[in-house]
Amino acid sequence: MNLKNKTITTGFIIAGLMNSSVLIFSRFFTNTTIPEFDAQVMSNFGLLMIFIWGLAYISVSKKYKNVKYLIAIFSIEKFIYGFVWINWILNNSISDVFEKDVMAGIFYSIYGINDWLFFLFFTYVFIGLIKNKNSA
C-alpha cells in the first residue's frame, strides 16, 4: 500500500490539528479538570507541549521526505503518549472525569486513540522513507 504525497501531507496536517485541539478541550488552558486527573503528563505545560508537537507536524507536512529521522521521533513520541494513555485508562475512572467536566472526559476518552493512530501513520511514513533510496 502506497500513500500519495498529498495524502501524507494531509496526514501531517491532520495530526497537527488534532494536537491543536488541546486548546479547545483545555479551554485555552483554563480547564482545571484535565491537569487534575493527570498532573504529571497533562499539566498546562504538558498541554502546551502537545500543541507545540502539533505545530511541528504541520511544519514538516510538505517537507517530510527531508526529515525522515524526525518522523521516527514523531512515531516514538506518539507511542509514548499512547502507552501512557493505556496505563491511565487501566488505572483511572473515565466516568469520574466526565462527572467533573464533559470536555475533559472527552479529551481523556480520545487522546490515546488519536496517539495510537498517528503512531501507526508516522511509523508507516518513516518505513516508506527508509525503503525509498531517493529520500533525503
Side-chain angles (χ1 to χ4, degrees):
M1 176 170 111
N2 285 330
L3 296 178
K4 294 182 179 184
N5 290 339
K6 185 176 179 180
T7 303
I8 293 173
T9 293
T10 301
F12 278 94
I13 292 168
I14 292 170
L17 292 174
M18 291 299 289
N19 271 45
S20 298
S21 72
V22 300
L23 296 175
I24 295 165
F25 290 108
S26 72
R27 296 184 190 95
F28 288 85
F29 311 112
T30 63
N31 184 336
T32 59
T33 305
I34 292 174
E36 176 185 334
F37 280 87
D38 191 349
Q40 186 175 14
V41 177
M42 297 302 168
S43 66
N44 281 340
F45 177 77
L47 295 171
L48 176 62
M49 292 300 98
I50 290 169
F51 174 70
I52 297 298
W53 276 107
L55 295 178
Y57 307 149
I58 293 169
S59 76
V60 302
S61 65
K62 293 184 180 179
K63 301 287 185 182
Y64 65 90
K65 290 180 182 179
N66 299 327
V67 291
K68 64 183 168 191
Y69 295 107
L70 180 59
I71 308 313
I73 292 168
F74 290 168
S75 180
I76 293 166
E77 178 258 345
K78 286 298 188 184
F79 176 85
I80 291 167
Y81 274 96
F83 181 81
V84 166
W85 176 75
I86 286 174
N87 188 51
W88 189 92
I89 289 291
L90 292 174
N91 293 292
N92 292 275
S93 170
I94 194 71
S95 61
D96 289 348
V97 182
F98 271 104
E99 276 183 34
K100 191 139 190 193
D101 183 83
V102 172
M103 292 294 280
I106 294 169
F107 174 79
Y108 276 103
S109 296
I110 64 172
Y111 95 77
I113 297 167
N114 174 72
D115 288 323
W116 284 117
L117 290 173
F118 283 105
F119 160 72
L120 294 173
F121 171 74
F122 291 140
T123 300
Y124 175 84
V125 172
F126 174 69
I127 290 169
L129 291 172
I130 291 297
K131 288 182 177 181
N132 183 356
K133 293 180 176 140
N134 296 326
S135 65

